[in-house]
Amino acid sequence: MSIEARLAELGVTLPDAPAPVANYVSFVIADKLVHVSGQISQNAAGVIRGKLGADMSIEDGAEAAKCCAISLLAQLKKACDGDLSKLKRVVKLGGFVNSTPDFIDQPKVINGASDFMVAALGDAGRHARAAVSAASLPLGAAVEIDAIFELV
């Protein structure tokens, strides 16, 4: 089953890849690796803001992380000239969670992105990962995730 078909089964349509908000590029292709810049938690309604441990639940944070994963795939699609069949695997996700100093469940939040990658990509979605806390994130976002993908 194609990635696009799997996404459709999950009820997900990839948005247009978000444009950078500062002086950087959305992705860099080096050999067979696509390095995608950090994607903040946003959906069609805008930036998903909040601070885990204060005004946002783990479940809401995981949903915000899933939104980051969707944006990461949108960037990958752009990098692959619209052809997601060029993807071999997800290599690594780097997750940042806007949280209070005493919040310790960053991995549970970033699971929202990890679980989505596996649901959308099967075994090719399994990856190495980091999940760390941040005192704040750009635009007040709840989550930011960057990624490395390998192409065939």
Side-chain angles (χ1 to χ4, degrees), residues 33-115:
L33 297 179
V34 180
H35 297 259
V36 179
S37 295
Q39 301 296 297
I40 61 171
S41 50
Q42 60 184 350
N43 57 27
V47 176
I48 301 169
R49 293 178 171 89
K51 186 172 281 290
L52 279 293
D55 59 3
M56 189 173 227
S57 70
I58 291 171
E59 294 77 19
D60 289 340
E63 183 62 27
K66 177 183 173 184
C67 291
C68 293
I70 291 169
S71 291
L72 288 165
L73 289 182
Q75 293 292 357
L76 176 66
K77 184 175 180 177
K78 184 176 180 182
C80 292
D81 298 320
D83 184 5
L84 286 173
S85 70
K86 293 179 180 179
L87 174 66
K88 181 174 182 179
R89 68 168 302 133
V90 180
V91 176
K92 184 175 182 185
L93 298 181
F96 301 88
V97 179
N98 185 353
S99 59
T100 60
D102 60 341
F103 186 77
I104 61 171
D105 288 320
Q106 294 84 357
K108 291 179 182 176
V109 172
I110 302 302
N111 279 346
S114 295
D115 293 346

